[in-house]
Amino acid sequence: MVEEKMRYSDADLAEFKEIIVNKIEKAKSDLELIKSAYMNDLNNGTDDTSPTFKAFEEGSETMSKEANSQLAIRQEKFIRDLKNALFRVENKTYGVCKVTGKLISKERLKIVPHATMSIEAKNLQR
């Protein structure tokens, strides 16, 4: 009887850690761009003081700020999930499905490094 692996090797975990750290750095960079967009950090112009009538533009601008705010919230959650994945790498529980207890495929983890469930478990949820 072949015993199924219960965790990834230290070499695999090191590879996943590198992927996760790179994703965190990119996600933080993206978050800063999103935040600066909705906070208008880069806009010191006089657009908001000119007396022209531009209700549609203002409405569009407000919707854009709301959309960017939602993007920022999602990005913060993504970063939190990646940091949690990094914690699982450190305590060597990374890549174990929380539902089935089996290893999540390497292919899935490379694409979705913060995954906590295997495709099998995700399909059971439907």
Side-chain angles (χ1 to χ4, degrees), residues 31-117:
L31 179 61
E32 290 307 311
L33 284 172
I34 294 166
K35 281 185 171 181
S36 69
Y38 83 82
M39 290 180 176
N40 282 337
D41 286 345
L42 305 175
N43 185 4
N44 292 329
T46 57
D47 290 347
D48 57 347
T49 60
S50 60
T52 58
F53 297 97
K54 51 183 181 176
F56 290 120
E57 288 177 25
E58 287 173 358
S60 172
E61 198 172 297
T62 300
M63 281 183 63
S64 179
K65 280 185 182 184
E66 288 174 11
N68 283 337
S69 175
Q70 289 300 314
L71 277 174
I73 290 168
R74 286 188 63 189
Q75 196 69 3
E76 287 169 344
K77 181 185 181 305
F78 180 54
I79 292 167
R80 185 192 70 223
D81 290 347
L82 286 169
K83 285 181 177 178
N84 287 339
L86 203 52
F87 179 74
R88 290 192 303 277
V89 167
E90 297 298 328
N91 68 21
K92 301 183 185 207
T93 60
Y94 181 78
V96 178
C97 176
K98 69 180 182 181
V99 175
T100 65
K102 297 176 186 172
L103 288 182
I104 300 169
S105 74
K106 281 186 180 183
E107 294 76 24
R108 174 162 169 72
L109 291 171
K110 286 179 181 178
I111 296 168
V112 186
H114 57 288
T116 58
M117 291 175 21

Side-chain angles (χ1 to χ4, degrees), residues 1-2 10 18 25 37 46 56 59 70 90 96 101 111 113 118 121 123:
M1 184 174 137
V2 176
D10 289 349
E18 186 178 332
E25 291 307 311
T46 57
F56 290 120
Q70 289 300 314
E90 297 298 328
V96 178
I111 296 168
S118 64
N123 287 337

Side-chain angles (χ1 to χ4, degrees), residues 19-31 79 82:
I19 291 169
I20 294 166
V21 167
N22 289 337
K23 288 229 181 221
I24 288 172
E25 291 307 311
K26 175 152 182 12
K28 283 181 176 180
S29 167
D30 291 349
L31 179 61
I79 292 167
L82 286 169

